[in-house]
Amino acid sequence: MAFTLSKAAVIGSGVMGSGIAAHLANAGIPTLLLDVKREYAVSAVAKLPKTNPAPLFRSADAQLIVPGSIDDDLGKLAEVDWIIEVVTEKLDVKRRLLERIDAVRGPRTIVSTNTSGISVNAMSEGRSEGFRKHFLGTHFFNPPRYMKLLEIVPTPDTDPEVVAAMRAFCERRLGKGVVVAKDTPNFVANRIGTYGLLVTLREMEKGGYTVDEVDAITGPAMGRPKSATFRTLDLVGLDTFVHVAGNVHGGTSDPAERDVFDVPAPLRTLVERGWLGEKSGQGFYKKIKGADGKSVIQSLDLLTLEYGVGRKPAGAAIEAAKQAKGARGKIKALLGANDRYSQLAWNILAPVLLYAADKLGDIADTALDIDNAMKWGFNWDLGPFETWDAIGVRRSVERMRGEGRAIPAWVEAWLAAGNETFYASDAGKRFYASAGSYAEVEMPKEEISLRALKERPGSVVLSNPGASLVDIGDDIVCLEFHSPNNAIGGDILTMIERGVEEVRRNWRGLVVANEGRNFCVGANLMLLLMEAQDEEWDEVDRIIRMFQNAMMSLKALEKPVVAAPHRMTLGGGVEACMPADIVLFSSETYFGLVETGVGLIPAGGGCKEMALRISAEAASPEEDLQPAINAAFETIALAKTSTSGPNARDLGYMRASDRVVMNVDHRIYEAKRLALALDEAGYAPKPRQRIRVVGRDGAAVLKMGALQMRQGGYISDHDLLIAKKLAHVLAGGDVPAGALVAEQYLLDLEREAFLSLTGEPKTQARMQHILATGKPLRN
């Protein structure tokens, strides 16, 4: 059976329900949002555009959400394809609502419950056969837009085709990472995550560690988020955590496990006092105003229950983890140091690894599912079994045995069979431990892994320290950046030029994408600053020309080019995408020409491309370009960055030909598919265009606006200088309004302005400041 999921309903307009409705709207799905009273749903929808972090890609997407009440609008549920119940976490409340839904749902409507741990099977008891076949759990993690994990929890009655349809829909349309979980208390991620947090609390109490010490160990040093243990608990809400822990405490038949999930007394005391974390203003941390008026973060002493400014922990283990590279290196370094902090790390980690192994088969079928759940749901860099591989399975198990810890029988058997790791790879294929032997990780066709491809002989066509050209199949190659932070320097520019020639001769098309944390944070600012401080102006000029020439070569390639940026795509990263025939934005792409923040203007073609697009998109040769140029000027001058992929359209960065892909893991496959489609359609490169500009009169309008901002105290004198140079470039220089100019002419204007600003002491101060602190300097 084929399922069409084109319209949805969410019942419950609280934080979670409205967040799920918002993400459905992000995916373009009209959604009915119901609550006990219509005004509750109306209020929830009204809050969405004002909520931070933003649950919507674009504020306008809220129009896809229609508020209503359960009593008045229940009959409308017959018109939707998917109903998601998101009411209070009480079994009896959910069952009563599901009974009403059963009476009105369509025969093929899928119904799911968003629960963090209540039995899905228990909810479906007494429902009709058709309901039970179409019912399952869909546990979204909060906030739904940003958290990748979605746990799908079928019951014994759920139709397997419904599970398959929901998995495919949620992965492709909602961009989720799906793990199919067993119907056990807290499912997968919360089961292991809650266990780990409770173990941490007990080890803290046993060893006399402070809140600050525990968070120093259980954050990035252990391959976990910066929020570590106690900032995470404050964000989640201590009352919510106690409730989730109670699911296992009341649902397990194992006395030892029940003891672990019995919430420690200090945590219960905080909940009784109403110190619930961020939502109540204090929890394990509290923010106060210091004597100087600045915010100060205080941490809680669990013995005295008093707050104070904590001390930054220091020790051999902490320092070793800081110096190590990558999550695997950091955790090995942390455990390898012989101090109280490495002991704390081990005492937290060892029980979690053993617990994950013990629950394999009970909460999820595979080690891969458990690892993915923890990476996607708790933002761990490594799942439990990947962590075990990193520290050495055999060596760590020997240490566990020596400490009297119980080792799961299947782990003992795995090692006895001569296996040393839970994962293995061979010729680009990856395998994981399963049922006593290795099973291949079956990558969906939509997921192309450059890392895996590069393990296959002959897949790397060209390479240098900054970038590679990788064969991704079907005569398409991918230009991958892999310099530090993917910053664009000479290596990448050289590879672009070489790659263009290679593609021209031997390939059907080119994809520009990578698997870095961010697509590209811009040009190599350190190199530019060093040359400027040494007053090597010819070298600065050469670097800019090299950048511009590489971008123009990419644009002139006789084969289709598709760029697929993701996450931070700034400055030169934007300019590396602009020459492409299609830019395939990941839904979470933060895209912006931000050079003014370091005292410069875009000079790799960014200004030229914005002017060109405005000229090309004019409805007629007589259309007034000034309003569009004003908007582009504001976007660049204020270094505006899109808050999502779709929001790039609102800032003028997205063309009609550009696209958005919801699942970041699908971007390379989709980019390749688009390149092939262009080739099959008989691709021909666009001819060089003349650009109609607003000229000196238009520049005067832009400069007047900037002057008014200066007079109003909104910008500094140096900001005004930058704005005037930007206005000169965007307007097309000292030519009459309506003049037609060449692309190279605007590139020359960019380069001249960039060079002159590079020589300004205040620009150099801005560059130095952002390199040192990561924050812009307003001078």
Side-chain angles (χ1 to χ4, degrees), residues 527-572:
L527 175 62
L528 281 169
L529 177 60
M530 290 170 59
E531 299 294 357
Q533 288 177 333
D534 291 341
E535 299 186 356
E536 295 288 350
W537 307 121
D538 287 345
E539 183 59 21
V540 175
D541 182 75
R542 188 191 70 81
I543 293 170
I544 304 167
R545 287 178 187 273
M546 187 179 181
F547 200 126
Q548 291 181 343
N549 291 340
M551 298 306 108
M552 291 299 285
S553 295
L554 203 55
K555 187 171 184 177
L557 180 59
E558 297 90 345
K559 305 292 178 70
V561 178
V562 179
H566 66 284
R567 291 185 58 83
M568 301 299 287
T569 304
L570 305 175

Tab-separated table of all heavy atoms in Angstrom, residues 527-572:
chain	number	residue	atom	x	y	z
A	527	LEU	N	45.734	34.489	6.922
A	527	LEU	CA	46.679	34.754	5.838
A	527	LEU	C	46.553	36.191	5.344
A	527	LEU	O	47.553	36.882	5.160
A	527	LEU	CB	46.430	33.774	4.689
A	527	LEU	CG	47.256	33.977	3.420
A	527	LEU	CD1	48.739	33.808	3.714
A	527	LEU	CD2	46.811	33.006	2.331
A	528	LEU	N	45.326	36.654	5.148
A	528	LEU	CA	45.104	38.029	4.677
A	528	LEU	C	45.631	39.040	5.681
A	528	LEU	O	46.256	40.044	5.312
A	528	LEU	CB	43.605	38.266	4.450
A	528	LEU	CG	43.009	37.715	3.157
A	528	LEU	CD1	41.500	37.797	3.202
A	528	LEU	CD2	43.547	38.502	1.963
A	529	LEU	N	45.382	38.794	6.966
A	529	LEU	CA	45.833	39.727	7.996
A	529	LEU	C	47.359	39.804	8.026
A	529	LEU	O	47.939	40.901	8.123
A	529	LEU	CB	45.297	39.297	9.364
A	529	LEU	CG	45.754	40.154	10.553
A	529	LEU	CD1	45.311	41.605	10.382
A	529	LEU	CD2	45.212	39.585	11.865
A	530	MET	N	48.022	38.656	7.938
A	530	MET	CA	49.487	38.654	7.965
A	530	MET	C	50.065	39.442	6.789
A	530	MET	O	50.988	40.242	6.960
A	530	MET	CB	50.007	37.209	7.940
A	530	MET	CG	49.744	36.444	9.225
A	530	MET	SD	50.111	34.669	9.070
A	530	MET	CE	51.834	34.718	8.613
A	531	GLU	N	49.489	39.244	5.608
A	531	GLU	CA	49.979	39.974	4.425
A	531	GLU	C	49.718	41.473	4.573
A	531	GLU	O	50.551	42.298	4.192
A	531	GLU	CB	49.303	39.436	3.154
A	531	GLU	CG	49.561	37.971	2.862
A	531	GLU	CD	51.017	37.662	2.533
A	531	GLU	OE1	51.849	38.589	2.468
A	531	GLU	OE2	51.343	36.467	2.348
A	532	ALA	N	48.556	41.820	5.130
A	532	ALA	CA	48.227	43.241	5.299
A	532	ALA	C	49.144	43.893	6.323
A	532	ALA	O	49.622	45.023	6.123
A	532	ALA	CB	46.770	43.383	5.721
A	533	GLN	N	49.394	43.199	7.425
A	533	GLN	CA	50.268	43.768	8.454
A	533	GLN	C	51.695	43.937	7.948
A	533	GLN	O	52.413	44.841	8.383
A	533	GLN	CB	50.234	42.886	9.706
A	533	GLN	CG	48.921	42.982	10.467
A	533	GLN	CD	48.864	42.050	11.654
A	533	GLN	OE1	49.513	40.993	11.685
A	533	GLN	NE2	48.066	42.406	12.653
A	534	ASP	N	52.095	43.079	7.018
A	534	ASP	CA	53.429	43.208	6.403
A	534	ASP	C	53.413	44.154	5.204
A	534	ASP	O	54.445	44.333	4.546
A	534	ASP	CB	53.929	41.828	5.951
A	534	ASP	CG	54.254	40.914	7.122
A	534	ASP	OD1	54.441	41.441	8.235
A	534	ASP	OD2	54.318	39.694	6.921
A	535	GLU	N	52.237	44.732	4.928
A	535	GLU	CA	52.057	45.667	3.806
A	535	GLU	C	52.471	45.045	2.466
A	535	GLU	O	52.997	45.715	1.584
A	535	GLU	CB	52.812	46.975	4.055
A	535	GLU	CG	52.316	47.706	5.300
A	535	GLU	CD	52.965	49.065	5.472
A	535	GLU	OE1	53.849	49.430	4.675
A	535	GLU	OE2	52.569	49.765	6.418
A	536	GLU	N	52.144	43.756	2.335
A	536	GLU	CA	52.404	43.035	1.080
A	536	GLU	C	51.174	43.167	0.177
A	536	GLU	O	50.437	42.218	-0.063
A	536	GLU	CB	52.713	41.560	1.387
A	536	GLU	CG	53.994	41.334	2.172
A	536	GLU	CD	55.248	41.578	1.327
A	536	GLU	OE1	55.120	41.730	0.096
A	536	GLU	OE2	56.344	41.610	1.906
A	537	TRP	N	50.976	44.396	-0.336
A	537	TRP	CA	49.736	44.685	-1.067
A	537	TRP	C	49.652	43.922	-2.395
A	537	TRP	O	48.557	43.525	-2.817
A	537	TRP	CB	49.588	46.183	-1.291
A	537	TRP	CG	49.722	46.949	-0.005
A	537	TRP	CD1	50.620	47.916	0.292
A	537	TRP	CD2	48.926	46.779	1.187
A	537	TRP	NE1	50.457	48.371	1.586
A	537	TRP	CE2	49.416	47.678	2.153
A	537	TRP	CE3	47.863	45.947	1.527
A	537	TRP	CZ2	48.876	47.784	3.419
A	537	TRP	CZ3	47.318	46.041	2.798
A	537	TRP	CH2	47.817	46.947	3.734
A	538	ASP	N	50.765	43.699	-3.016
A	538	ASP	CA	50.746	42.922	-4.260
A	538	ASP	C	50.280	41.492	-3.994
A	538	ASP	O	49.568	40.897	-4.811
A	538	ASP	CB	52.140	42.891	-4.908
A	538	ASP	CG	52.507	44.229	-5.535
A	538	ASP	OD1	51.598	45.054	-5.715
A	538	ASP	OD2	53.696	44.432	-5.837
A	539	GLU	N	50.680	40.964	-2.841
A	539	GLU	CA	50.278	39.602	-2.500
A	539	GLU	C	48.781	39.546	-2.169
A	539	GLU	O	48.098	38.604	-2.550
A	539	GLU	CB	51.104	39.092	-1.311
A	539	GLU	CG	50.825	37.653	-0.917
A	539	GLU	CD	51.088	36.645	-2.033
A	539	GLU	OE1	51.848	36.961	-2.977
A	539	GLU	OE2	50.518	35.540	-1.959
A	540	VAL	N	48.289	40.575	-1.444
A	540	VAL	CA	46.853	40.626	-1.160
A	540	VAL	C	46.074	40.699	-2.471
A	540	VAL	O	45.073	39.992	-2.663
A	540	VAL	CB	46.512	41.833	-0.260
A	540	VAL	CG1	44.988	41.944	-0.080
A	540	VAL	CG2	47.186	41.699	1.101
A	541	ASP	N	46.559	41.538	-3.387
A	541	ASP	CA	45.913	41.681	-4.691
A	541	ASP	C	45.921	40.339	-5.439
A	541	ASP	O	44.925	39.940	-6.046
A	541	ASP	CB	46.631	42.750	-5.511
A	541	ASP	CG	45.980	42.974	-6.862
A	541	ASP	OD1	44.913	43.607	-6.892
A	541	ASP	OD2	46.540	42.514	-7.883
A	542	ARG	N	47.046	39.626	-5.363
A	542	ARG	CA	47.156	38.333	-6.043
A	542	ARG	C	46.165	37.327	-5.467
A	542	ARG	O	45.518	36.569	-6.210
A	542	ARG	CB	48.574	37.788	-5.897
A	542	ARG	CG	48.836	36.539	-6.739
A	542	ARG	CD	50.160	35.881	-6.351
A	542	ARG	NE	50.094	35.280	-5.031
A	542	ARG	CZ	49.562	34.076	-4.787
A	542	ARG	NH1	49.019	33.361	-5.760
A	542	ARG	NH2	49.540	33.593	-3.558
A	543	ILE	N	46.002	37.322	-4.151
A	543	ILE	CA	45.067	36.387	-3.500
A	543	ILE	C	43.634	36.665	-3.948
A	543	ILE	O	42.875	35.743	-4.277
A	543	ILE	CB	45.187	36.494	-1.964
A	543	ILE	CG1	46.557	35.975	-1.492
A	543	ILE	CG2	44.063	35.719	-1.279
A	543	ILE	CD1	46.862	36.271	-0.034
A	544	ILE	N	43.269	37.959	-3.990
A	544	ILE	CA	41.895	38.299	-4.391
A	544	ILE	C	41.664	37.915	-5.848
A	544	ILE	O	40.620	37.353	-6.201
A	544	ILE	CB	41.615	39.800	-4.195
A	544	ILE	CG1	41.891	40.222	-2.753
A	544	ILE	CG2	40.152	40.119	-4.531
A	544	ILE	CD1	41.937	41.717	-2.568
A	545	ARG	N	42.630	38.224	-6.707
A	545	ARG	CA	42.485	37.857	-8.124
A	545	ARG	C	42.355	36.344	-8.287
A	545	ARG	O	41.558	35.851	-9.098
A	545	ARG	CB	43.691	38.362	-8.926
A	545	ARG	CG	43.707	39.867	-9.156
A	545	ARG	CD	44.968	40.257	-9.918
A	545	ARG	NE	45.118	41.689	-10.019
A	545	ARG	CZ	44.573	42.441	-10.998
A	545	ARG	NH1	43.848	41.854	-11.938
A	545	ARG	NH2	44.747	43.737	-11.017
A	546	MET	N	43.148	35.611	-7.509
A	546	MET	CA	43.104	34.153	-7.587
A	546	MET	C	41.707	33.645	-7.190
A	546	MET	O	41.143	32.750	-7.827
A	546	MET	CB	44.167	33.560	-6.664
A	546	MET	CG	44.346	32.061	-6.780
A	546	MET	SD	45.658	31.480	-5.673
A	546	MET	CE	45.664	29.721	-6.033
A	547	PHE	N	41.142	34.229	-6.126
A	547	PHE	CA	39.806	33.861	-5.665
A	547	PHE	C	38.778	34.181	-6.763
A	547	PHE	O	37.968	33.331	-7.138
A	547	PHE	CB	39.469	34.627	-4.380
A	547	PHE	CG	38.359	34.007	-3.565
A	547	PHE	CD1	38.554	33.709	-2.229
A	547	PHE	CD2	37.121	33.743	-4.134
A	547	PHE	CE1	37.537	33.142	-1.472
A	547	PHE	CE2	36.099	33.180	-3.387
A	547	PHE	CZ	36.301	32.885	-2.057
A	548	GLN	N	38.828	35.395	-7.270
A	548	GLN	CA	37.871	35.802	-8.301
A	548	GLN	C	37.982	34.922	-9.549
A	548	GLN	O	36.961	34.486	-10.110
A	548	GLN	CB	38.091	37.266	-8.681
A	548	GLN	CG	37.724	38.256	-7.581
A	548	GLN	CD	37.930	39.693	-8.011
A	548	GLN	OE1	38.624	39.973	-8.999
A	548	GLN	NE2	37.351	40.625	-7.280
A	549	ASN	N	39.214	34.641	-9.973
A	549	ASN	CA	39.411	33.827	-11.179
A	549	ASN	C	38.878	32.404	-10.985
A	549	ASN	O	38.303	31.808	-11.906
A	549	ASN	CB	40.890	33.785	-11.558
A	549	ASN	CG	41.395	35.127	-12.055
A	549	ASN	OD1	40.608	35.989	-12.461
A	549	ASN	ND2	42.709	35.322	-12.024
A	550	ALA	N	39.077	31.853	-9.769
A	550	ALA	CA	38.584	30.495	-9.489
A	550	ALA	C	37.057	30.457	-9.561
A	550	ALA	O	36.466	29.527	-10.127
A	550	ALA	CB	39.067	30.029	-8.122
A	551	MET	N	36.415	31.491	-9.013
A	551	MET	CA	34.954	31.534	-9.046
A	551	MET	C	34.436	31.688	-10.476
A	551	MET	O	33.443	31.059	-10.872
A	551	MET	CB	34.429	32.681	-8.179
A	551	MET	CG	34.765	32.577	-6.693
A	551	MET	SD	34.261	31.012	-5.928
A	551	MET	CE	35.864	30.223	-5.676
A	552	MET	N	35.116	32.503	-11.277
A	552	MET	CA	34.682	32.683	-12.665
A	552	MET	C	34.924	31.423	-13.490
A	552	MET	O	34.149	31.097	-14.387
A	552	MET	CB	35.398	33.883	-13.283
A	552	MET	CG	34.970	35.232	-12.690
A	552	MET	SD	33.205	35.575	-12.925
A	552	MET	CE	33.183	36.000	-14.676
A	553	SER	N	35.995	30.686	-13.176
A	553	SER	CA	36.232	29.406	-13.858
A	553	SER	C	35.121	28.420	-13.550
A	553	SER	O	34.643	27.694	-14.437
A	553	SER	CB	37.576	28.816	-13.417
A	553	SER	OG	38.647	29.621	-13.821
A	554	LEU	N	34.711	28.397	-12.300
A	554	LEU	CA	33.630	27.516	-11.884
A	554	LEU	C	32.338	27.890	-12.612
A	554	LEU	O	31.597	27.017	-13.084
A	554	LEU	CB	33.444	27.644	-10.369
A	554	LEU	CG	32.791	26.511	-9.596
A	554	LEU	CD1	33.499	25.190	-9.814
A	554	LEU	CD2	32.764	26.862	-8.115
A	555	LYS	N	32.120	29.174	-12.739
A	555	LYS	CA	30.897	29.653	-13.383
A	555	LYS	C	30.888	29.360	-14.886
A	555	LYS	O	29.832	29.114	-15.470
A	555	LYS	CB	30.744	31.158	-13.141
A	555	LYS	CG	29.426	31.728	-13.616
A	555	LYS	CD	29.254	33.160	-13.149
A	555	LYS	CE	27.882	33.676	-13.556
A	555	LYS	NZ	27.644	35.036	-13.069
A	556	ALA	N	32.053	29.376	-15.496
A	556	ALA	CA	32.141	29.192	-16.949
A	556	ALA	C	32.253	27.732	-17.367
A	556	ALA	O	32.292	27.425	-18.558
A	556	ALA	CB	33.351	29.962	-17.482
A	557	LEU	N	32.293	26.813	-16.394
A	557	LEU	CA	32.439	25.397	-16.720
A	557	LEU	C	31.304	24.935	-17.635
A	557	LEU	O	30.136	25.240	-17.400
A	557	LEU	CB	32.443	24.578	-15.425
A	557	LEU	CG	32.583	23.059	-15.558
A	557	LEU	CD1	33.864	22.672	-16.265
A	557	LEU	CD2	32.499	22.407	-14.178
A	558	GLU	N	31.652	24.186	-18.668
A	558	GLU	CA	30.662	23.728	-19.650
A	558	GLU	C	29.845	22.540	-19.168
A	558	GLU	O	29.068	21.956	-19.920
A	558	GLU	CB	31.368	23.337	-20.959
A	558	GLU	CG	32.073	24.488	-21.654
A	558	GLU	CD	33.513	24.642	-21.191
A	558	GLU	OE1	33.865	24.048	-20.138
A	558	GLU	OE2	34.279	25.345	-21.856
A	559	LYS	N	30.024	22.160	-17.916
A	559	LYS	CA	29.260	21.066	-17.313
A	559	LYS	C	28.475	21.622	-16.118
A	559	LYS	O	28.872	22.619	-15.523
A	559	LYS	CB	30.212	19.954	-16.836
A	559	LYS	CG	31.155	19.421	-17.907
A	559	LYS	CD	30.422	18.650	-18.980
A	559	LYS	CE	31.365	18.163	-20.074
A	559	LYS	NZ	32.264	17.105	-19.619
A	560	PRO	N	27.361	20.979	-15.766
A	560	PRO	CA	26.544	21.508	-14.662
A	560	PRO	C	27.276	21.452	-13.320
A	560	PRO	O	28.016	20.509	-13.034
A	560	PRO	CB	25.316	20.601	-14.653
A	560	PRO	CG	25.711	19.378	-15.402
A	560	PRO	CD	26.747	19.796	-16.397
A	561	VAL	N	27.050	22.493	-12.517
A	561	VAL	CA	27.641	22.589	-11.182
A	561	VAL	C	26.505	22.785	-10.174
A	561	VAL	O	25.662	23.668	-10.333
A	561	VAL	CB	28.626	23.774	-11.077
A	561	VAL	CG1	29.190	23.880	-9.657
A	561	VAL	CG2	29.745	23.624	-12.097
A	562	VAL	N	26.489	21.949	-9.134
A	562	VAL	CA	25.502	22.080	-8.056
A	562	VAL	C	26.261	22.192	-6.744
A	562	VAL	O	27.090	21.331	-6.425
A	562	VAL	CB	24.542	20.878	-8.008
A	562	VAL	CG1	23.544	21.031	-6.862
A	562	VAL	CG2	23.801	20.733	-9.338
A	563	ALA	N	25.994	23.256	-5.986
A	563	ALA	CA	26.616	23.432	-4.670
A	563	ALA	C	25.614	23.012	-3.605
A	563	ALA	O	24.414	23.287	-3.717
A	563	ALA	CB	27.022	24.883	-4.467
A	564	ALA	N	26.109	22.339	-2.560
A	564	ALA	CA	25.225	21.840	-1.497
A	564	ALA	C	25.765	22.259	-0.132
A	564	ALA	O	26.359	21.460	0.589
A	564	ALA	CB	25.105	20.313	-1.592
A	565	PRO	N	25.562	23.523	0.246
A	565	PRO	CA	26.080	23.998	1.537
A	565	PRO	C	25.247	23.487	2.711
A	565	PRO	O	24.077	23.117	2.549
A	565	PRO	CB	25.967	25.516	1.412
A	565	PRO	CG	24.797	25.726	0.500
A	565	PRO	CD	24.866	24.585	-0.494
A	566	HIS	N	25.856	23.493	3.882
A	566	HIS	CA	25.147	23.110	5.090
A	566	HIS	C	25.706	23.913	6.255
A	566	HIS	O	26.833	24.378	6.238
A	566	HIS	CB	25.299	21.611	5.377
A	566	HIS	CG	26.710	21.200	5.706
A	566	HIS	ND1	27.679	21.073	4.732
A	566	HIS	CD2	27.324	20.916	6.885
A	566	HIS	CE1	28.822	20.712	5.298
A	566	HIS	NE2	28.638	20.615	6.599
A	567	ARG	N	24.886	24.115	7.256
A	567	ARG	CA	25.242	24.868	8.464
A	567	ARG	C	25.943	26.187	8.114
A	567	ARG	O	25.509	26.896	7.210
A	567	ARG	CB	26.052	23.983	9.413
A	567	ARG	CG	25.191	22.853	10.010
A	567	ARG	CD	25.941	22.047	11.046
A	567	ARG	NE	26.429	22.879	12.139
A	567	ARG	CZ	25.693	23.244	13.198
A	567	ARG	NH1	24.445	22.852	13.304
A	567	ARG	NH2	26.214	23.988	14.145
A	568	MET	N	27.026	26.537	8.823
A	568	MET	CA	27.642	27.848	8.606
A	568	MET	C	28.263	27.921	7.213
A	568	MET	O	29.163	27.160	6.866
A	568	MET	CB	28.706	28.108	9.660
A	568	MET	CG	28.191	28.087	11.097
A	568	MET	SD	26.949	29.338	11.439
A	568	MET	CE	27.956	30.802	11.479
A	569	THR	N	27.749	28.846	6.415
A	569	THR	CA	28.262	29.084	5.067
A	569	THR	C	28.396	30.595	4.948
A	569	THR	O	27.424	31.300	4.680
A	569	THR	CB	27.309	28.528	4.002
A	569	THR	OG1	27.078	27.126	4.260
A	569	THR	CG2	27.868	28.700	2.606
A	570	LEU	N	29.602	31.078	5.190
A	570	LEU	CA	29.792	32.520	5.391
A	570	LEU	C	30.837	33.082	4.439
A	570	LEU	O	31.795	32.393	4.064
A	570	LEU	CB	30.233	32.792	6.835
A	570	LEU	CG	29.325	32.235	7.937
A	570	LEU	CD1	29.949	32.485	9.313
A	570	LEU	CD2	27.938	32.847	7.869
A	571	GLY	N	30.667	34.357	4.074
A	571	GLY	CA	31.676	35.069	3.306
A	571	GLY	C	32.081	34.335	2.053
A	571	GLY	O	31.284	34.102	1.140
A	572	GLY	N	33.358	33.934	2.001
A	572	GLY	CA	33.866	33.210	0.849
A	572	GLY	C	33.152	31.904	0.596
A	572	GLY	O	33.098	31.419	-0.544
